[in-house]
mmCIF file of all heavy atoms in Angstrom:
data_model
loop_
_atom_site.group_PDB
_atom_site.id
_atom_site.type_symbol
_atom_site.label_atom_id
_atom_site.label_comp_id
_atom_site.label_asym_id
_atom_site.label_seq_id
_atom_site.Cartn_x
_atom_site.Cartn_y
_atom_site.Cartn_z
ATOM 1 N N MET P 207 9.089 17.927 -97.222
ATOM 2 C CA MET P 207 8.484 18.831 -96.240
ATOM 3 C C MET P 207 7.805 20.034 -97.008
ATOM 4 O O MET P 207 7.519 21.046 -96.364
ATOM 5 C CB MET P 207 9.509 19.385 -95.268
ATOM 6 C CG MET P 207 9.958 18.264 -94.407
ATOM 7 S SD MET P 207 8.540 17.397 -93.483
ATOM 8 C CE MET P 207 8.223 18.529 -92.267
ATOM 9 N N ARG P 208 7.533 19.931 -98.333
ATOM 10 C CA ARG P 208 6.825 20.997 -98.967
ATOM 11 C C ARG P 208 5.429 20.315 -99.532
ATOM 12 O O ARG P 208 4.702 20.984 -100.151
ATOM 13 C CB ARG P 208 7.573 21.477 -100.200
ATOM 14 C CG ARG P 208 8.571 22.508 -99.754
ATOM 15 C CD ARG P 208 9.316 22.978 -100.995
ATOM 16 N NE ARG P 208 10.467 23.920 -100.593
ATOM 17 C CZ ARG P 208 11.317 24.378 -101.460
ATOM 18 N NH1 ARG P 208 11.131 24.088 -102.644
ATOM 19 N NH2 ARG P 208 12.273 25.187 -101.034
ATOM 20 N N MET P 209 5.292 18.981 -99.298
ATOM 21 C CA MET P 209 4.149 18.345 -99.855
ATOM 22 C C MET P 209 2.888 18.833 -99.045
ATOM 23 O O MET P 209 2.936 18.835 -97.870
ATOM 24 C CB MET P 209 4.304 16.831 -99.644
ATOM 25 C CG MET P 209 5.344 16.281 -100.544
ATOM 26 S SD MET P 209 5.335 14.515 -100.734
ATOM 27 C CE MET P 209 5.017 13.886 -99.102
ATOM 28 N N PRO P 210 1.743 19.009 -99.881
ATOM 29 C CA PRO P 210 0.515 19.363 -99.068
ATOM 30 C C PRO P 210 0.083 18.271 -98.114
ATOM 31 O O PRO P 210 0.508 17.053 -98.352
ATOM 32 C CB PRO P 210 -0.473 19.505 -100.240
ATOM 33 C CG PRO P 210 0.362 19.680 -101.438
ATOM 34 C CD PRO P 210 1.604 18.989 -101.124
ATOM 35 N N LEU P 211 -0.604 18.597 -97.172
ATOM 36 C CA LEU P 211 -0.819 17.565 -96.085
ATOM 37 C C LEU P 211 -1.740 16.373 -96.650
ATOM 38 O O LEU P 211 -1.607 15.232 -96.206
ATOM 39 C CB LEU P 211 -1.566 18.181 -94.879
ATOM 40 C CG LEU P 211 -1.000 17.427 -93.645
ATOM 41 C CD1 LEU P 211 0.362 17.849 -93.361
ATOM 42 C CD2 LEU P 211 -1.924 17.473 -92.463
ATOM 43 N N PHE P 212 -2.507 16.684 -97.688
ATOM 44 C CA PHE P 212 -3.409 15.510 -98.233
ATOM 45 C C PHE P 212 -2.391 14.654 -98.885
ATOM 46 O O PHE P 212 -2.669 13.358 -98.841
ATOM 47 C CB PHE P 212 -4.388 16.067 -99.191
ATOM 48 C CG PHE P 212 -5.291 14.923 -99.788
ATOM 49 C CD1 PHE P 212 -6.106 14.266 -98.980
ATOM 50 C CD2 PHE P 212 -5.095 14.660 -101.143
ATOM 51 C CE1 PHE P 212 -6.850 13.221 -99.511
ATOM 52 C CE2 PHE P 212 -5.893 13.565 -101.709
ATOM 53 C CZ PHE P 212 -6.745 12.917 -100.917
ATOM 54 N N THR P 213 -1.350 15.072 -99.545
ATOM 55 C CA THR P 213 -0.358 14.201 -100.136
ATOM 56 C C THR P 213 0.317 13.382 -99.047
ATOM 57 O O THR P 213 0.567 12.189 -99.163
ATOM 58 C CB THR P 213 0.581 14.968 -100.977
ATOM 59 O OG1 THR P 213 -0.086 15.645 -102.007
ATOM 60 C CG2 THR P 213 1.657 14.046 -101.637
ATOM 61 N N TRP P 214 0.658 14.061 -97.924
ATOM 62 C CA TRP P 214 1.328 13.438 -96.804
ATOM 63 C C TRP P 214 0.435 12.267 -96.222
ATOM 64 O O TRP P 214 0.911 11.160 -95.943
ATOM 65 C CB TRP P 214 1.665 14.329 -95.685
ATOM 66 C CG TRP P 214 3.201 14.692 -95.639
ATOM 67 C CD1 TRP P 214 3.718 15.919 -96.024
ATOM 68 C CD2 TRP P 214 4.215 13.841 -95.377
ATOM 69 N NE1 TRP P 214 4.989 15.800 -95.857
ATOM 70 C CE2 TRP P 214 5.488 14.523 -95.456
ATOM 71 C CE3 TRP P 214 4.255 12.480 -94.926
ATOM 72 C CZ2 TRP P 214 6.711 14.037 -95.198
ATOM 73 C CZ3 TRP P 214 5.532 11.886 -94.703
ATOM 74 C CH2 TRP P 214 6.759 12.687 -94.853
ATOM 75 N N THR P 215 -0.796 12.562 -96.051
ATOM 76 C CA THR P 215 -1.650 11.559 -95.456
ATOM 77 C C THR P 215 -1.912 10.409 -96.429
ATOM 78 O O THR P 215 -1.984 9.272 -95.997
ATOM 79 C CB THR P 215 -3.002 12.164 -94.993
ATOM 80 O OG1 THR P 215 -3.528 12.864 -96.105
ATOM 81 C CG2 THR P 215 -2.826 13.107 -93.891
ATOM 82 N N THR P 216 -1.928 10.780 -97.783
ATOM 83 C CA THR P 216 -2.055 9.634 -98.753
ATOM 84 C C THR P 216 -0.802 8.821 -98.627
ATOM 85 O O THR P 216 -0.982 7.478 -98.682
ATOM 86 C CB THR P 216 -2.164 10.299 -100.140
ATOM 87 O OG1 THR P 216 -3.219 11.141 -100.265
ATOM 88 C CG2 THR P 216 -2.227 9.236 -101.116
ATOM 89 N N PHE P 217 0.343 9.403 -98.421
ATOM 90 C CA PHE P 217 1.557 8.619 -98.338
ATOM 91 C C PHE P 217 1.562 7.580 -97.183
ATOM 92 O O PHE P 217 1.798 6.475 -97.265
ATOM 93 C CB PHE P 217 2.722 9.631 -98.202
ATOM 94 C CG PHE P 217 4.102 8.976 -98.180
ATOM 95 C CD1 PHE P 217 4.595 8.406 -99.308
ATOM 96 C CD2 PHE P 217 4.890 9.005 -97.070
ATOM 97 C CE1 PHE P 217 5.868 7.802 -99.395
ATOM 98 C CE2 PHE P 217 6.160 8.472 -97.025
ATOM 99 C CZ PHE P 217 6.603 7.780 -98.203
ATOM 100 N N VAL P 218 1.166 8.226 -96.011
ATOM 101 C CA VAL P 218 1.210 7.423 -94.857
ATOM 102 C C VAL P 218 0.067 6.325 -94.840
ATOM 103 O O VAL P 218 0.257 5.189 -94.484
ATOM 104 C CB VAL P 218 1.007 8.185 -93.534
ATOM 105 C CG1 VAL P 218 0.945 7.381 -92.310
ATOM 106 C CG2 VAL P 218 2.243 9.161 -93.437
ATOM 107 N N ALA P 219 -1.097 6.733 -95.385
ATOM 108 C CA ALA P 219 -2.201 5.753 -95.507
ATOM 109 C C ALA P 219 -1.754 4.565 -96.485
ATOM 110 O O ALA P 219 -2.053 3.423 -96.157
ATOM 111 C CB ALA P 219 -3.460 6.352 -95.973
ATOM 112 N N SER P 220 -1.019 4.969 -97.527
ATOM 113 C CA SER P 220 -0.595 3.868 -98.441
ATOM 114 C C SER P 220 0.434 3.024 -97.794
ATOM 115 O O SER P 220 0.362 1.797 -98.075
ATOM 116 C CB SER P 220 0.046 4.520 -99.755
ATOM 117 O OG SER P 220 -0.878 5.455 -100.285
ATOM 118 N N ALA P 221 1.265 3.579 -96.979
ATOM 119 C CA ALA P 221 2.241 2.688 -96.241
ATOM 120 C C ALA P 221 1.429 1.744 -95.308
ATOM 121 O O ALA P 221 1.805 0.587 -95.182
ATOM 122 C CB ALA P 221 3.230 3.549 -95.433
ATOM 123 N N LEU P 222 0.366 2.310 -94.678
ATOM 124 C CA LEU P 222 -0.394 1.385 -93.747
ATOM 125 C C LEU P 222 -1.026 0.325 -94.614
ATOM 126 O O LEU P 222 -1.077 -0.772 -94.144
ATOM 127 C CB LEU P 222 -1.366 2.255 -93.028
ATOM 128 C CG LEU P 222 -0.949 3.237 -92.069
ATOM 129 C CD1 LEU P 222 -2.136 3.988 -91.311
ATOM 130 C CD2 LEU P 222 -0.052 2.548 -91.026
ATOM 131 N N ILE P 223 -1.561 0.641 -95.845
ATOM 132 C CA ILE P 223 -2.074 -0.328 -96.661
ATOM 133 C C ILE P 223 -1.072 -1.463 -96.949
ATOM 134 O O ILE P 223 -1.371 -2.643 -96.907
ATOM 135 C CB ILE P 223 -2.571 0.266 -98.041
ATOM 136 C CG1 ILE P 223 -3.926 1.170 -97.736
ATOM 137 C CG2 ILE P 223 -2.950 -0.810 -99.046
ATOM 138 C CD1 ILE P 223 -4.351 1.857 -98.889
ATOM 139 N N LEU P 224 0.170 -0.924 -97.262
ATOM 140 C CA LEU P 224 1.159 -1.916 -97.620
ATOM 141 C C LEU P 224 1.488 -2.958 -96.532
ATOM 142 O O LEU P 224 1.681 -4.144 -96.768
ATOM 143 C CB LEU P 224 2.444 -1.180 -97.946
ATOM 144 C CG LEU P 224 3.708 -1.990 -98.279
ATOM 145 C CD1 LEU P 224 3.553 -2.692 -99.551
ATOM 146 C CD2 LEU P 224 4.919 -1.057 -98.495
ATOM 147 N N PHE P 225 1.392 -2.469 -95.289
ATOM 148 C CA PHE P 225 1.675 -3.267 -94.194
ATOM 149 C C PHE P 225 0.501 -4.103 -93.605
ATOM 150 O O PHE P 225 0.546 -5.011 -92.928
ATOM 151 C CB PHE P 225 2.456 -2.651 -93.029
ATOM 152 C CG PHE P 225 3.823 -2.103 -93.470
ATOM 153 C CD1 PHE P 225 4.163 -0.861 -93.210
ATOM 154 C CD2 PHE P 225 4.715 -2.900 -94.141
ATOM 155 C CE1 PHE P 225 5.381 -0.328 -93.638
ATOM 156 C CE2 PHE P 225 5.887 -2.480 -94.500
ATOM 157 C CZ PHE P 225 6.265 -1.190 -94.308
ATOM 158 N N ALA P 226 -0.661 -3.376 -93.694
ATOM 159 C CA ALA P 226 -1.893 -3.953 -93.020
ATOM 160 C C ALA P 226 -2.653 -4.957 -93.883
ATOM 161 O O ALA P 226 -3.308 -5.868 -93.332
ATOM 162 C CB ALA P 226 -2.863 -2.776 -92.674
ATOM 163 N N PHE P 227 -2.620 -4.818 -95.226
ATOM 164 C CA PHE P 227 -3.434 -5.729 -96.043
ATOM 165 C C PHE P 227 -2.834 -7.226 -96.100
ATOM 166 O O PHE P 227 -3.677 -8.128 -96.176
ATOM 167 C CB PHE P 227 -3.804 -5.197 -97.325
ATOM 168 C CG PHE P 227 -4.922 -4.394 -97.462
ATOM 169 C CD1 PHE P 227 -5.071 -3.205 -96.865
ATOM 170 C CD2 PHE P 227 -6.153 -4.990 -97.944
ATOM 171 C CE1 PHE P 227 -6.358 -2.457 -96.867
ATOM 172 C CE2 PHE P 227 -7.327 -4.319 -97.889
ATOM 173 C CZ PHE P 227 -7.375 -3.040 -97.336
ATOM 174 N N PRO P 228 -1.547 -7.363 -96.079
ATOM 175 C CA PRO P 228 -1.119 -8.815 -95.971
ATOM 176 C C PRO P 228 -1.671 -9.615 -94.885
ATOM 177 O O PRO P 228 -2.076 -10.773 -95.089
ATOM 178 C CB PRO P 228 0.471 -8.601 -95.993
ATOM 179 C CG PRO P 228 0.677 -7.436 -96.653
ATOM 180 C CD PRO P 228 -0.430 -6.453 -96.273
#
Side-chain angles (χ1 to χ4, degrees):
Chain P
M207 289 310 276
R208 286 177 182 174
M209 295 195 312
L211 216 75
F212 181 66
T213 302
W214 256 112
T215 52
T216 301
F217 184 69
V218 176
S220 305
L222 293 185
I223 288 174
L224 178 63
F225 295 133
F227 268 75

